[in-house]
Amino acid sequence: MTDLDHRAVRVRFAPSPTGALHIGGLRTALFNWLFARRHGGSVVLRIDDTDRERSSETYLRQILDGFRWLGVTFDEGIEEGGPYGPYRQSERMPIYRQALQRLLDDGKAYPCYCTPEELDASRKAQLEAGKTPRYAGTCRRLTPEERAAREAEGRQPVYRLKVDLDRPIVVRDVIRGDVSFEPEQIDDFVIMKSDGTPTYHFASCVDDAEMRITHIIRAEEHLSNTPRHVVLFQALGAPVPTFAHVPMILAPDRTKLSKRHGATSVDEFRALGFLPEAIVNYSLLLGYAPDENAELFTLDDLVPTFELERIAKHPAIYDVNKLRWMNGHYLRTLSLRRVYTYAEPFLKAAGYLSQNPGDDEIALAMARIDAVRERVATLIELTDGVSYFYRSIEAYDETGVHKHFKNPKEVAERLRYAAERLETVEPWDLEQTEQAYRGLIDELGISGGALIHPTRLALSGRTVGPGLFHIMVLLGKAETIRRLRKAVQWLEARA
RNA sequence: GGCCCCAUCGUCUAGCGGCCUAGGACGCCGCCCUCUCACGGCGGAAACAGGGGUUCGAGUCCCCUUGGGGUCACCA
């Protein structure tokens, strides 16, 4: 183990492409990345796709694409290559077979012909008796004749690791300290399935050994499996890596994250209009506290001081509310250019932007985004927030009508004056429009709100939004006046 | 059920024996700013799961209880 300390740090993130990359997986990947960067080591992205049934190329693409979007990079992996490839377990079958053969030759593994039914029955019985189910070891004691007989029957065996322990297995975990497991907890477990593919435990350990992984940073759900892995590394004659089991992220109902909990995957958050900066920052904040009170940070900020020891031991429940707040924070503090880039696909999808917007179109969009971004939390809301700049108003907000279009006749008259007054405004900017309005308000001897609120409703259809004169400028003179007149008509029809 | 991990405001957390009448953030409530909504600023309510020890002294160490989570597959 001490020889590990002298080797360059090598960590891996090994997702199984059987589902989307969720926020917990992302955080684990980020911890790996941070640890590698902190110690000048390498991160490898390995794909655990030994389950051919459930693995899909679609999920794999999604995961890869998600990391790209988030700006998370790997040093070795299925796309970047590297000296320890292939990095896809489905392409490493010969390696597992060789590893098994070595174990067989050393007498450390043996074929097992028990049927699933037999095993199941035995397991159930033990479970009911309140014991940890263990494989009885029947096939371990098979004579060559018995073995040959079963082969002759055409039975395809699984292969089990021969586990003989005379003392507890101690897992050295950086986050939790030493965790000890009694020998009777670990039986002769299966390492190769009857179809010739390795089990997760086997593939994972063989690869970690072959790829010279020094630290295994993964989710806590694997802690209970770890003594098996320790035994496997030893059987393979490989150094045992240092472990760090990071706590899980739970849904608000305190159970494991799943589809029924709404958005939990990176893709979903992305579609909902969350920014990479916020997703990365927030997921890290769940269980990691860099400094006393630091909450807003980037991945790079964390590198110089990152320590696995600072990761929380207890599971965290994620809170969309705080993510929303954080997203809003990035929406209003990131450069306008960047926010525009993130918003662009949303605006295009809504039909507000053309497929290849010109400079003027982009400049106007940016100005509109800038006016709205400090009052929204997501890109979806941002898109909604600028909607009335791009399409005419289909309806006036109901409570707004109640409040500001209360006396149709009176309001119509005021808005007509306003339209007339605005005709004369030149240049059409913040100062001139406001001056014109203030003047009119004075002349009419009314409160500012009495003219401003109905105008906002007339121009945007809403009661909330950017400052009124900002709206006017961003809408343009002609459109502002057109909407005012339209409101006048609407009001007169109701007077 | 066996085994393993965990336990500070509703949520994320700071705290590694005295600096804690427990700090910060989100959310919530008030006030200020103000043409609305936000943003921002100021203030407030809100937690050491319970019980035993150890110690001059325990949120911090130990034990038990309770609670939560994980794991016990030819799934990863």
Side-chain angles (χ1 to χ4, degrees):
Chain A
M1 196 190 57
T2 35
D3 57 325
L4 268 184
D5 299 338
H6 301 293
R7 303 199 306 188
V9 164
R10 289 179 58 79
V11 297
R12 44 67 157 185
F13 180 63
S16 156
T18 54
L21 175 66
H22 64 78
I23 187 166
L26 166 64
R27 195 189 56 172
T28 303
L30 295 177
F31 284 150
N32 272 286
W33 188 93
L34 284 166
F35 185 71
R37 285 291 167 279
R38 171 76 178 82
H39 298 283
S42 310
V43 213
V44 350
L45 178 68
R46 187 176 72 216
I47 302 301
D48 280 18
D49 60 348
T50 51
D51 185 348
R52 303 306 292 159
E53 296 289 299
R54 297 197 302 143
S55 294
S56 93
E57 196 63 19
T58 311
Y59 281 129
L60 175 57
R61 287 296 136 206
Q62 262 180 40
I63 291 169
L64 260 26
D65 193 54
F67 279 124
R68 215 184 337 270
W69 178 67
L70 291 165
V72 179
T73 54
F74 297 91
D75 301 301
E76 293 170 31
I78 65 169
E79 291 190 314
E80 12 320 86
Y84 298 96
Y87 292 91
R88 211 187 263 254
Q89 291 190 327
S90 55
E91 293 171 8
R92 299 174 62 81
M93 292 304 159
I95 297 170
Y96 308 128
R97 258 172 247 131
Q98 283 164 27
L100 173 67
Q101 194 53 54
R102 281 198 301 276
L103 254 24
L104 252 17
D105 293 344
D106 293 350
K108 291 174 177 169
Y110 61 91
C112 167
Y113 302 88
C114 296
T115 65
E117 294 73 35
E118 294 167 346
L119 295 170
D120 223 49
S122 158
R123 182 163 38 239
K124 278 211 180 99
Q126 295 183 67
L127 230 33
E128 272 168 35
K131 290 190 296 190
T132 299
R134 308 188 82 237
Y135 173 59
T138 343
C139 293
R140 188 174 177 157
R141 296 178 291 271
L142 252 32
T143 61
E145 294 73 34
E146 290 171 318
R147 201 164 282 177
R150 282 164 222 239
E151 289 288 348
E153 282 176 39
R155 287 213 207 177
Q156 288 298 313
V158 300
Y159 289 87
R160 290 179 182 273
L161 188 72
K162 203 178 276 182
V163 182
D164 292 304
L165 264 25
D166 55 358
R167 76 191 73 171
I169 289 288
V170 176
V171 174
R172 307 215 57 180
D173 189 291
V174 188
I175 297 176
R176 286 152 216 287
D178 289 356
V179 182
S180 170
F181 296 83
E182 293 303 316
E184 53 271 23
Q185 295 302 318
I186 306 144
D187 67 353
D188 290 355
F189 57 96
V190 176
I191 55 177
M192 191 70 87
K193 307 181 225 172
S194 57
D195 65 359
T197 61
T199 61
Y200 161 74
H201 304 296
F202 192 53
S204 177
C205 290
V206 169
D207 287 344
D208 288 336
E210 294 271 336
M211 295 180 179
R212 303 287 186 269
I213 299 302
T214 58
H215 301 258
I216 297 182
I217 303 167
R218 48 148 61 146
E220 194 195 335
E221 54 186 322
H222 292 294
L223 182 54
S224 298
N225 288 325
T226 307
R228 278 176 244 283
H229 298 180
V230 171
V231 171
L232 253 174
F233 282 117
Q234 288 167 345
L236 291 166
V240 180
T242 300
F243 294 94
H245 287 95
V246 314
M248 313 203 35
I249 293 178
L250 269 25
D253 65 356
R254 295 179 178 278
T255 61
K256 239 173 142 175
L257 247 25
S258 75
K259 321 95 226 146
R260 72 193 157 82
H261 291 118
T264 57
S265 74
V266 171
D267 290 319
E268 289 170 301
F269 284 126
R270 180 181 184 175
L272 288 171
F274 287 93
L275 273 28
E277 284 83 352
I279 295 174
V280 166
N281 189 160
Y282 181 70
S283 66
L284 248 11
L285 198 57
L286 287 178
Y288 191 77
D291 285 307
E292 286 267 316
N293 290 322
E295 299 228 285
L296 297 166
F297 45 75
T298 64
L299 258 186
D300 289 330
D301 291 339
L302 257 35
V303 172
T305 57
F306 184 75
E307 292 179 281
L308 291 173
E309 290 82 353
R310 284 195 74 86
I311 297 176
K313 293 180 171 67
H314 53 271
I317 297 165
Y318 87 96
D319 175 19
V320 204
N321 247 331
K322 191 157 185 175
L323 209 210
R324 283 177 54 79
W325 162 76
M326 195 173 273
N327 205 57
H329 164 82
Y330 282 107
L331 227 31
R332 68 186 95 91
T333 54
L334 252 25
S335 76
L336 183 55
R337 185 85 226 176
R338 195 174 192 85
V339 172
Y340 169 79
T341 306
Y342 289 137
E344 200 182 62
F346 288 84
L347 296 177
K348 282 183 180 172
Y352 301 159
L353 276 185
S354 58
Q355 279 316 299
N356 292 298
D359 290 349
D360 289 351
E361 195 180 348
I362 291 176
L364 182 58
M366 281 175 51
R368 288 170 170 175
I369 288 170
D370 203 24
V372 169
R373 62 167 166 169
E374 78 177 15
R375 14 182 77 81
V376 296
T378 68
L379 293 171
I380 296 268
E381 291 172 16
L382 182 76
T383 305
D384 176 66
V386 298
S387 62
Y388 52 82
F389 289 121
Y390 289 99
R391 57 168 189 234
S392 53
I393 299 153
E394 56 284 348
Y396 298 113
D397 176 83
E398 209 178 307
T399 48
V401 169
H402 220 72
K403 266 182 160 166
H404 311 304
F405 284 179
K406 186 91 176 168
N407 304 305
K409 204 171 166 188
E410 190 181 48
V411 177
E413 188 178 45
R414 287 175 186 167
L415 292 184
R416 193 167 43 238
Y417 287 147
E420 282 165 14
R421 184 63 53 96
L422 289 174
E423 293 275 14
T424 69
V425 170
E426 203 62 49
W428 189 256
D429 61 22
L430 239 38
E431 293 71 34
Q432 295 307 310
T433 50
E434 175 150 15
Q435 209 178 77
Y437 246 56
R438 294 294 175 197
L440 181 60
I441 286 163
D442 269 358
E443 289 168 34
L444 293 174
I446 56 176
S447 70
L451 183 61
I452 287 174
H453 295 320
T455 304
R456 172 177 288 103
L457 191 57
L459 298 183
S460 71
R462 307 182 183 196
T463 58
V464 303
L468 181 66
F469 307 107
H470 272 99
I471 294 180
M472 288 188 181
V473 170
L474 292 169
L475 209 47
K477 184 171 178 177
E479 184 62 19
T480 298
I481 292 169
R482 213 171 61 78
R483 289 190 186 187
L484 278 173
R485 298 209 188 282
K486 212 176 150 192
V488 170
Q489 278 179 10
W490 189 92
L491 284 159
E492 282 172 343
R494 246 146 274 246

